[in-house]
Amino acid sequence: MNPTHPNLEIGMLLYPGLTLLDLIGPQTVFSWFANTHLVWKTMDPVISDTGIGILPTRTFETCPSKLDVLFVPGGFGQQQLMDDAEVRTFLADRAAQSRYVTSVCSGSLLLGAAGLLNGYKATSHWATRDALGAFGAEPVDARVVVDRNRITGGGVTAGIDFGLVLLAKLRGDEAAKLTQLAMEYDPAPPFLSGSPKTADSSTIRQAMEFMVAHAEKQAGRRQSEVAS
Amino acid sequence: MNPTHPNLEIGMLLYPGLTLLDLIGPQTVFSWFANTHLVWKTMDPVISDTGIGILPTRTFETCPSKLDVLFVPGGFGQQQLMDDAEVRTFLADRAAQSRYVTSVCSGSLLLGAAGLLNGYKATSHWATRDALGAFGAEPVDARVVVDRNRITGGGVTAGIDFGLVLLAKLRGDEAAKLTQLAMEYDPAPPFLSGSPKTADSSTIRQAMEFMVAHAEKQAGRRQSEVAS
């Protein structure tokens, strides 16, 4: 750690229906070493996929142009953004000027849609990982995947591991270690059910059903907002 | 899992300077089975200890009176609330009507200050755990501590383990397992540094220094707000 290092500049995309934990995991990891900018089209509150309202700190126009890290979270709202030209233009523009271009969960599909994973190894939530192939990416079954300056994390809670890996690259192992300790990241999952490799087949089926139902609910919510 | 179960009613305290990950971990765990109410004195945005603005969904007056779970997160802002009569009265009132009275991180000190842990085993962030003794609680070095209807979690990321343990109690193991899978909670911490038991002594010292500095910064911020 070098105490004279300036704060990192980290641009984190917000959008309606994001999974807030995808973002708050790494944002908490980075926070002692960074200015974390929460970026959306407007400064109006953005509602997460579990109904939490969060305030952007920057718009696409006011987000710093040169970033240490561009970050995209996943969430059920990701699907409604895949054809959004404004979002794709913002991501492609900042990616060209960022040291690292990154995502957690289904956020990698948004990076893919913006043309930013073509020819790169990448990961995503286990349920959406194979869809990366459609964007010229090579899906990898790993919690954190580093390929040149693209770093992608798996589903939701993988954002904490992702954040610590990236912080170690940017500010050294000691910075990541003290952050891990301050966050008491010494996990003790109560079940062996965090991956399709270990979960029961009935649990996998039920999780898929819940995820499809929530994706449809999110799509319906967007639809009715567009109509109103 | 019983699909006819009504949604759980979960009241989660917000306050200036809370550690948002303490709350978003369990809120994400509960979300598919619960109405999670984010409660503060007013409906104005609350700013977390890393500068994130979040919108309350209820006030102390409009929060449901009977809750399945009363939940208090930790954060550097906790210290400024220890003598707040309005907060302590709210916690004591809802605790008397809740099935479970719970916290993550230094949130347990607020439960203690409200007289809710007297005679109970409890835990907290490793750096604040011993302070529980002042409130008649018995500090326990564990990630999640269950004593009758008091359930307390360790620091920050322990909220995910805490949430899954509590969800299993309320809605059964299968509900917790599918949630763990959907959140891909199959952790892979990059360092063996998540607990004072495993971290280097230099890392512990540096983490303590960072935490003290941020607690003072938070206290200064509150002070200047009160003055203005």
Side-chain angles (χ1 to χ4, degrees):
Chain A
M1 273 194 312
N2 180 342
T4 65
H5 267 148
N7 274 356
L8 298 164
E9 296 292 333
I10 301 189
M12 312 185 92
L13 184 71
L14 291 184
Y15 57 88
L18 90 156
T19 296
L20 198 49
L21 186 51
D22 290 11
L23 182 142
I24 297 298
Q27 193 271 343
T28 306
V29 171
F30 299 141
S31 59
W32 284 353
F33 300 90
N35 303 320
T36 53
H37 308 289
L38 309 187
V39 190
W40 180 233
K41 295 177 182 180
T42 71
M43 296 295 276
D44 296 334
V46 168
I47 309 298
S48 82
D49 61 2
T50 65
I52 292 191
I54 183 168
L55 298 177
T57 63
R58 301 275 185 151
T59 65
F60 289 174
E61 285 69 37
T62 64
C63 176
S65 53
K66 286 182 198 302
L67 294 167
D68 292 290
V69 178
L70 174 67
F71 171 81
V72 181
F76 295 111
Q78 155 262 322
Q79 287 180 288
Q80 278 72 54
L81 246 59
M82 295 294 277
D83 294 322
D84 188 310
E86 199 178 344
V87 170
R88 299 204 299 198
T89 300
F90 169 76
L91 292 178
D93 174 78
R94 291 311 193 278
Q97 305 178 74
S98 294
R99 283 175 71 190
Y100 289 97
V101 176
T102 71
S103 65
V104 161
C105 202
S106 58
S108 55
L109 299 182
L110 283 172
L111 290 182
L116 296 167
L117 291 180
N118 193 16
Y120 286 87
K121 291 188 172 72
T123 196
S124 189
H125 190 284
W126 57 264
T128 54
R129 195 191 307 127
D130 288 345
L132 285 168
F135 306 106
E138 182 186 331
V140 177
D141 179 4
R143 198 144 173 94
V144 181
V145 173
V146 181
D147 184 356
R148 288 156 283 172
N149 80 334
R150 279 17 178 202
I151 308 187
T152 50
V156 196
T157 56
I160 301 168
D161 302 309
F162 153 86
L164 290 167
V165 167
L166 180 49
L167 182 60
K169 282 185 183 296
L170 287 162
R171 286 294 179 263
D173 285 2
E174 196 47 47
K177 283 180 181 176
L178 79 85
T179 299
Q180 185 178 336
L181 178 60
M183 293 170 68
E184 209 167 330
Y185 188 43
D186 181 29
F191 302 101
L192 195 65
S193 187
S195 152
K197 290 194 280 286
T198 54
D200 301 332
S201 58
S202 62
T203 303
I204 298 173
R205 199 179 56 244
Q206 283 193 305
M208 290 291 288
E209 285 170 10
F210 267 81
M211 287 190 283
V212 167
H214 280 267
E216 284 170 359
K217 199 165 121 186
Q218 195 69 43
R221 204 177 292 158
R222 295 273 83 69
Q223 221 54 50
S224 66
E225 276 170 23
V226 170
S228 69
Chain B
M1 271 192 313
N2 181 342
T4 65
H5 268 148
N7 274 356
L8 298 163
E9 297 292 334
I10 301 188
M12 311 184 93
L13 184 71
L14 292 183
Y15 57 88
L18 89 158
T19 296
L20 198 49
L21 186 51
D22 290 11
L23 183 141
I24 296 299
Q27 193 271 343
T28 306
V29 171
F30 299 141
S31 59
W32 285 353
F33 300 90
N35 303 321
T36 53
H37 309 289
L38 308 187
V39 190
W40 181 232
K41 295 177 183 180
T42 71
M43 296 296 277
D44 296 334
V46 168
I47 309 299
S48 82
D49 61 2
T50 66
I52 292 191
I54 183 168
L55 298 177
T57 63
R58 302 275 186 151
T59 65
F60 289 174
E61 285 70 37
T62 64
C63 176
S65 53
K66 284 180 198 303
L67 295 167
D68 292 291
V69 178
L70 174 67
F71 172 81
V72 181
F76 295 111
Q78 156 261 320
Q79 287 179 289
Q80 278 71 51
L81 247 58
M82 295 294 276
D83 294 323
D84 189 311
E86 199 179 345
V87 169
R88 299 204 300 196
T89 301
F90 168 76
L91 292 178
D93 175 79
R94 291 311 192 279
Q97 306 178 73
S98 295
R99 282 174 71 190
Y100 289 97
V101 176
T102 71
S103 65
V104 161
C105 202
S106 59
S108 55
L109 299 182
L110 284 172
L111 291 182
L116 297 167
L117 291 180
N118 193 15
Y120 287 86
K121 291 188 171 74
T123 195
S124 188
H125 189 285
W126 56 264
T128 53
R129 195 191 308 128
D130 287 345
L132 284 168
F135 306 105
E138 183 187 331
V140 178
D141 179 5
R143 198 143 172 94
V144 181
V145 172
V146 180
D147 184 356
R148 287 156 284 170
N149 80 332
R150 280 11 180 207
I151 308 187
T152 50
V156 195
T157 56
I160 301 169
D161 302 310
F162 154 86
L164 290 168
V165 166
L166 181 49
L167 181 59
K169 282 185 183 296
L170 287 162
R171 286 295 179 262
D173 284 2
E174 196 47 47
K177 284 181 181 175
L178 78 86
T179 299
Q180 186 179 337
L181 178 59
M183 292 171 69
E184 207 167 329
Y185 189 44
D186 181 29
F191 302 100
L192 194 64
S193 186
S195 153
K197 289 194 282 285
T198 55
D200 301 332
S201 60
S202 62
T203 304
I204 297 173
R205 200 179 53 243
Q206 283 193 304
M208 290 292 288
E209 284 170 11
F210 268 79
M211 288 189 285
V212 167
H214 280 267
E216 284 170 359
K217 199 166 121 186
Q218 195 71 42
R221 202 177 291 157
R222 293 275 82 68
Q223 221 54 49
S224 67
E225 276 170 22
V226 170
S228 70

mmCIF file of all heavy atoms in Angstrom, chain B residues 8-28:
data_model
loop_
_atom_site.group_PDB
_atom_site.id
_atom_site.type_symbol
_atom_site.label_atom_id
_atom_site.label_comp_id
_atom_site.label_asym_id
_atom_site.label_seq_id
_atom_site.Cartn_x
_atom_site.Cartn_y
_atom_site.Cartn_z
ATOM 1 N N LEU B 8 -43.283 -12.917 4.629
ATOM 2 C CA LEU B 8 -42.805 -12.472 5.936
ATOM 3 C C LEU B 8 -42.829 -10.944 5.983
ATOM 4 O O LEU B 8 -42.637 -10.283 4.959
ATOM 5 C CB LEU B 8 -41.372 -12.953 6.162
ATOM 6 C CG LEU B 8 -41.163 -14.477 6.179
ATOM 7 C CD1 LEU B 8 -39.683 -14.812 5.988
ATOM 8 C CD2 LEU B 8 -41.698 -15.053 7.475
ATOM 9 N N GLU B 9 -43.047 -10.396 7.175
ATOM 10 C CA GLU B 9 -42.971 -8.934 7.352
ATOM 11 C C GLU B 9 -41.685 -8.629 8.111
ATOM 12 O O GLU B 9 -41.525 -9.024 9.269
ATOM 13 C CB GLU B 9 -44.183 -8.419 8.134
ATOM 14 C CG GLU B 9 -45.521 -8.629 7.437
ATOM 15 C CD GLU B 9 -45.680 -7.775 6.175
ATOM 16 O OE1 GLU B 9 -45.033 -6.710 6.089
ATOM 17 O OE2 GLU B 9 -46.445 -8.205 5.278
ATOM 18 N N ILE B 10 -40.761 -7.954 7.423
ATOM 19 C CA ILE B 10 -39.436 -7.715 8.006
ATOM 20 C C ILE B 10 -39.156 -6.222 8.062
ATOM 21 O O ILE B 10 -39.167 -5.535 7.042
ATOM 22 C CB ILE B 10 -38.356 -8.456 7.183
ATOM 23 C CG1 ILE B 10 -38.674 -9.971 7.192
ATOM 24 C CG2 ILE B 10 -36.962 -8.163 7.748
ATOM 25 C CD1 ILE B 10 -37.637 -10.854 6.595
ATOM 26 N N GLY B 11 -38.946 -5.724 9.267
ATOM 27 C CA GLY B 11 -38.625 -4.305 9.463
ATOM 28 C C GLY B 11 -37.127 -4.139 9.635
ATOM 29 O O GLY B 11 -36.539 -4.711 10.555
ATOM 30 N N MET B 12 -36.509 -3.346 8.742
ATOM 31 C CA MET B 12 -35.052 -3.176 8.756
ATOM 32 C C MET B 12 -34.748 -1.700 9.002
ATOM 33 O O MET B 12 -35.158 -0.835 8.223
ATOM 34 C CB MET B 12 -34.460 -3.637 7.416
ATOM 35 C CG MET B 12 -34.972 -5.022 6.982
ATOM 36 S SD MET B 12 -34.198 -5.671 5.450
ATOM 37 C CE MET B 12 -32.852 -6.639 6.150
ATOM 38 N N LEU B 13 -34.004 -1.438 10.092
ATOM 39 C CA LEU B 13 -33.690 -0.050 10.437
ATOM 40 C C LEU B 13 -32.667 0.550 9.466
ATOM 41 O O LEU B 13 -31.648 -0.076 9.171
ATOM 42 C CB LEU B 13 -33.112 0.002 11.861
ATOM 43 C CG LEU B 13 -32.822 1.406 12.412
ATOM 44 C CD1 LEU B 13 -34.110 2.153 12.712
ATOM 45 C CD2 LEU B 13 -31.945 1.335 13.668
ATOM 46 N N LEU B 14 -32.970 1.732 8.963
ATOM 47 C CA LEU B 14 -31.977 2.545 8.254
ATOM 48 C C LEU B 14 -31.496 3.636 9.208
ATOM 49 O O LEU B 14 -32.231 4.027 10.107
ATOM 50 C CB LEU B 14 -32.600 3.234 7.038
ATOM 51 C CG LEU B 14 -33.053 2.412 5.847
ATOM 52 C CD1 LEU B 14 -33.562 3.350 4.756
ATOM 53 C CD2 LEU B 14 -31.927 1.543 5.322
ATOM 54 N N TYR B 15 -30.291 4.138 8.985
ATOM 55 C CA TYR B 15 -29.853 5.345 9.703
ATOM 56 C C TYR B 15 -28.630 5.917 9.014
ATOM 57 O O TYR B 15 -27.910 5.191 8.313
ATOM 58 C CB TYR B 15 -29.567 5.043 11.180
ATOM 59 C CG TYR B 15 -28.548 3.963 11.471
ATOM 60 C CD1 TYR B 15 -27.183 4.260 11.560
ATOM 61 C CD2 TYR B 15 -28.935 2.643 11.672
ATOM 62 C CE1 TYR B 15 -26.244 3.268 11.852
ATOM 63 C CE2 TYR B 15 -28.003 1.644 11.948
ATOM 64 C CZ TYR B 15 -26.672 1.960 12.040
ATOM 65 O OH TYR B 15 -25.742 0.981 12.314
ATOM 66 N N PRO B 16 -28.379 7.218 9.192
ATOM 67 C CA PRO B 16 -27.203 7.836 8.556
ATOM 68 C C PRO B 16 -25.929 7.137 9.012
ATOM 69 O O PRO B 16 -25.740 6.922 10.217
ATOM 70 C CB PRO B 16 -27.249 9.284 9.061
ATOM 71 C CG PRO B 16 -28.676 9.516 9.451
ATOM 72 C CD PRO B 16 -29.174 8.198 9.966
ATOM 73 N N GLY B 17 -25.081 6.754 8.063
ATOM 74 C CA GLY B 17 -23.822 6.120 8.409
ATOM 75 C C GLY B 17 -23.904 4.623 8.617
ATOM 76 O O GLY B 17 -22.958 4.014 9.107
ATOM 77 N N LEU B 18 -25.053 4.018 8.242
ATOM 78 C CA LEU B 18 -25.102 2.537 8.308
ATOM 79 C C LEU B 18 -24.179 1.958 7.247
ATOM 80 O O LEU B 18 -23.895 2.596 6.224
ATOM 81 C CB LEU B 18 -26.530 2.021 8.112
ATOM 82 C CG LEU B 18 -27.020 1.727 6.679
ATOM 83 C CD1 LEU B 18 -28.188 0.755 6.687
ATOM 84 C CD2 LEU B 18 -27.409 3.020 5.983
ATOM 85 N N THR B 19 -23.691 0.740 7.492
ATOM 86 C CA THR B 19 -22.930 0.006 6.470
ATOM 87 C C THR B 19 -23.944 -0.731 5.602
ATOM 88 O O THR B 19 -24.582 -1.690 6.051
ATOM 89 C CB THR B 19 -21.950 -0.974 7.133
ATOM 90 O OG1 THR B 19 -20.986 -0.220 7.873
ATOM 91 C CG2 THR B 19 -21.217 -1.808 6.093
ATOM 92 N N LEU B 20 -24.093 -0.261 4.365
ATOM 93 C CA LEU B 20 -25.207 -0.738 3.542
ATOM 94 C C LEU B 20 -25.137 -2.240 3.279
ATOM 95 O O LEU B 20 -26.169 -2.916 3.201
ATOM 96 C CB LEU B 20 -25.246 0.057 2.234
ATOM 97 C CG LEU B 20 -26.550 0.015 1.451
ATOM 98 C CD1 LEU B 20 -27.769 0.290 2.300
ATOM 99 C CD2 LEU B 20 -26.483 0.992 0.281
ATOM 100 N N LEU B 21 -23.922 -2.794 3.175
ATOM 101 C CA LEU B 21 -23.798 -4.236 2.916
ATOM 102 C C LEU B 21 -24.341 -5.076 4.079
ATOM 103 O O LEU B 21 -24.845 -6.182 3.864
ATOM 104 C CB LEU B 21 -22.335 -4.588 2.620
ATOM 105 C CG LEU B 21 -22.026 -6.020 2.191
ATOM 106 C CD1 LEU B 21 -22.916 -6.495 1.049
ATOM 107 C CD2 LEU B 21 -20.554 -6.160 1.806
ATOM 108 N N ASP B 22 -24.267 -4.545 5.305
ATOM 109 C CA ASP B 22 -24.866 -5.231 6.466
ATOM 110 C C ASP B 22 -26.348 -5.517 6.226
ATOM 111 O O ASP B 22 -26.887 -6.511 6.702
ATOM 112 C CB ASP B 22 -24.820 -4.350 7.731
ATOM 113 C CG ASP B 22 -23.429 -4.157 8.306
ATOM 114 O OD1 ASP B 22 -22.442 -4.524 7.648
ATOM 115 O OD2 ASP B 22 -23.348 -3.617 9.430
ATOM 116 N N LEU B 23 -26.998 -4.576 5.536
ATOM 117 C CA LEU B 23 -28.441 -4.656 5.318
ATOM 118 C C LEU B 23 -28.790 -5.345 4.000
ATOM 119 O O LEU B 23 -29.719 -6.152 3.944
ATOM 120 C CB LEU B 23 -29.030 -3.237 5.347
ATOM 121 C CG LEU B 23 -30.551 -3.117 5.205
ATOM 122 C CD1 LEU B 23 -31.082 -2.015 6.117
ATOM 123 C CD2 LEU B 23 -30.962 -2.842 3.772
ATOM 124 N N ILE B 24 -28.018 -5.041 2.946
ATOM 125 C CA ILE B 24 -28.381 -5.565 1.617
ATOM 126 C C ILE B 24 -28.129 -7.073 1.518
ATOM 127 O O ILE B 24 -28.820 -7.767 0.777
ATOM 128 C CB ILE B 24 -27.617 -4.796 0.510
ATOM 129 C CG1 ILE B 24 -28.044 -3.322 0.495
ATOM 130 C CG2 ILE B 24 -27.875 -5.404 -0.863
ATOM 131 C CD1 ILE B 24 -29.511 -3.097 0.200
ATOM 132 N N GLY B 25 -27.155 -7.600 2.284
ATOM 133 C CA GLY B 25 -26.955 -9.051 2.317
ATOM 134 C C GLY B 25 -28.233 -9.769 2.754
ATOM 135 O O GLY B 25 -28.855 -10.481 1.960
ATOM 136 N N PRO B 26 -28.678 -9.556 3.999
ATOM 137 C CA PRO B 26 -29.908 -10.236 4.428
ATOM 138 C C PRO B 26 -31.156 -9.807 3.655
ATOM 139 O O PRO B 26 -32.033 -10.630 3.399
ATOM 140 C CB PRO B 26 -30.027 -9.874 5.909
ATOM 141 C CG PRO B 26 -28.959 -8.886 6.209
ATOM 142 C CD PRO B 26 -27.963 -8.908 5.104
ATOM 143 N N GLN B 27 -31.239 -8.531 3.246
ATOM 144 C CA GLN B 27 -32.433 -8.101 2.502
ATOM 145 C C GLN B 27 -32.557 -8.904 1.212
ATOM 146 O O GLN B 27 -33.655 -9.298 0.816
ATOM 147 C CB GLN B 27 -32.353 -6.592 2.205
ATOM 148 C CG GLN B 27 -33.646 -5.962 1.709
ATOM 149 C CD GLN B 27 -33.803 -6.011 0.185
ATOM 150 O OE1 GLN B 27 -32.842 -6.234 -0.547
ATOM 151 N NE2 GLN B 27 -35.030 -5.818 -0.279
ATOM 152 N N THR B 28 -31.431 -9.171 0.554
ATOM 153 C CA THR B 28 -31.456 -9.971 -0.674
ATOM 154 C C THR B 28 -31.852 -11.411 -0.356
ATOM 155 O O THR B 28 -32.640 -12.026 -1.077
ATOM 156 C CB THR B 28 -30.072 -9.923 -1.359
ATOM 157 O OG1 THR B 28 -29.704 -8.561 -1.556
ATOM 158 C CG2 THR B 28 -30.101 -10.632 -2.701
#
